[in-house]
Amino acid sequence: MLTKKEQLYEGKAKKVFSTEDPEKYIVSYKDDATAFNGLKKGTILGKGAINNRVSNFLMRMLETKGIPTHYVEELNPRETVVRKVSIVPLEVIVRNIAAGSLSKRLGLPEGVKMKKTVLEYCYKNDELGDPMVNEYHILAMEFCTKEELDLIAEYSLKINEILSAYLKQCNIELIDFKLEFGKTSDGQIILADEISPETCRFWDSNTNEKLDKDRFRRDLGGVEDAYKEILRRLLGE
Ligand code: UDP
């Protein structure tokens, strides 16, 4: 079994460690919560373990449906072995229903269904506040190649179909979510980072109750319970 060697990075929600295998890392999920580019800080008890387990569950499911991911093995509730990648510096946002920044930008009330799935790209850069970019910016800045971007878009739309269908069975509406992709040392584009209540908007299909990080962002209360409810509905526990 691989073990943690040196801490390579500590981000807002995770730590990343090297291992005995140069092509594998271990990620360790924290309970620290931040929002609004780090301006709001807090702790969500049990969040790290829930996000780790939900993300691994969804990545394993995506793998069976042909999406390559960084997931290798869950070591314990908080820690997972992943493939080493260099992250493509983009946040890919997939939207089915208007919410959050899209509602503000376009003046669409939250909850309005989009006529077509919307893909957005943001440049991953905290100092700049993750500005939205389009395909021209991405290619001009050489964040990735045209072929890689086309593949990222294709994977993102397929992931949306797979997740939306699965979540519907759990009585959850997938409003929008954020994905990150990475490149392996042999040049393969794979899904990286996490898919969890941290990076998705999940609404109860019947009541529209928010079961995600918006409870923390908007001080709605019941944050821990919402994360636990997602774990229960998805993994059945
Ligand atoms: N999102 C994320 N990380 C970010 C920004 C957004 O995981 O740094 C997710 C967010 O949880 C939501 C979706 O991407 O599911 C769309 O977020 P939006 O652009 O509406 O921004 P927000 O309103 O969250 O600031």
Side-chain angles (χ1 to χ4, degrees), residues 11 35 37 44 46 50 75 94 103 116 141 155 190 221:
N37 205 12
I44 303 174
I50 292 177
L75 289 179
V94 185
S103 288
K116 210 171 169 297
M141 297 285 287
Y155 284 156
I190 65 177

Side-chain angles (χ1 to χ4, degrees), residues 45-89:
L45 222 62
K47 168 185 91 102
I50 292 177
N51 287 348
N52 182 44
R53 299 189 55 218
V54 166
S55 188
N56 291 342
F57 174 80
L58 294 176
M59 291 220 186
R60 283 193 296 262
M61 181 170 78
L62 291 171
E63 285 275 359
T64 67
K65 302 196 185 271
I67 306 287
T69 79
H70 73 166
Y71 173 79
V72 179
E73 184 190 10
E74 189 169 290
L75 289 179
N76 59 56
R78 260 177 211 282
E79 295 180 332
T80 296
V81 180
V82 297
R83 290 176 71 185
K84 173 183 160 183
V85 290
S86 61
I87 289 284
V88 176

Side-chain angles (χ1 to χ4, degrees), residues 155-173:
Y155 284 156
S156 299
L157 293 173
K158 191 167 169 203
I159 291 167
N160 184 42
E161 280 175 24
I162 298 167
L163 294 183
S164 294
Y166 178 75
L167 289 162
K168 267 208 171 72
Q169 297 174 24
C170 309
N171 215 32
I172 296 166
E173 220 52 49

Side-chain angles (χ1 to χ4, degrees), residues 95-114 175-176 203 208 210 218:
R95 301 181 180 273
N96 297 308
I97 293 182
S101 67
L102 176 124
S103 288
K104 281 210 192 90
R105 201 172 340 110
L106 299 184
L108 274 182
E110 288 205 317
V112 171
K113 188 167 167 35
M114 310 302 292
I175 307 300
D176 58 27
W203 292 5
N208 283 347
K210 297 182 194 338
R218 303 179 186 188

Side-chain angles (χ1 to χ4, degrees), residues 121-235:
Y121 304 107
C122 295
Y123 171 35
K124 250 176 83 70
N125 183 314
D126 280 342
E127 272 166 46
L128 299 175
D130 299 340
M132 194 192 283
V133 289
N134 65 27
E135 186 166 335
Y136 289 94
H137 300 117
I138 293 168
L139 301 182
M141 297 285 287
E142 297 184 314
F143 294 149
C144 62
T145 67
K146 170 88 172 84
E147 291 67 34
E148 288 164 352
L149 189 60
D150 288 347
L151 192 57
I152 286 173
E154 185 188 318
Y155 284 156
S156 299
L157 293 173
K158 191 167 169 203
I159 291 167
N160 184 42
E161 280 175 24
I162 298 167
L163 294 183
S164 294
Y166 178 75
L167 289 162
K168 267 208 171 72
Q169 297 174 24
C170 309
N171 215 32
I172 296 166
E173 220 52 49
L174 181 58
I175 307 300
D176 58 27
F177 58 101
K178 186 260 307 178
L179 299 172
E180 294 184 25
F181 292 86
K183 208 170 162 173
T184 58
S185 55
D186 57 3
Q188 199 194 357
I189 292 285
I190 65 177
L191 179 65
D193 196 50
E194 67 177 286
I195 309 179
S196 71
E198 193 86 356
T199 61
C200 303
R201 285 196 169 94
F202 294 138
W203 292 5
D204 181 280
S205 298
N206 300 118
T207 64
N208 283 347
E209 187 193 358
K210 297 182 194 338
L211 297 170
D212 55 55
K213 194 172 166 185
D214 271 347
R215 302 206 75 84
F216 171 75
R217 293 190 190 101
R218 303 179 186 188
D219 293 321
L220 300 175
V223 189
E224 280 92 358
D225 285 344
Y227 278 59
K228 275 191 215 148
E229 179 63 13
I230 290 297
L231 184 70
R232 193 186 68 76
R233 288 199 202 178
L234 267 65
L235 281 78

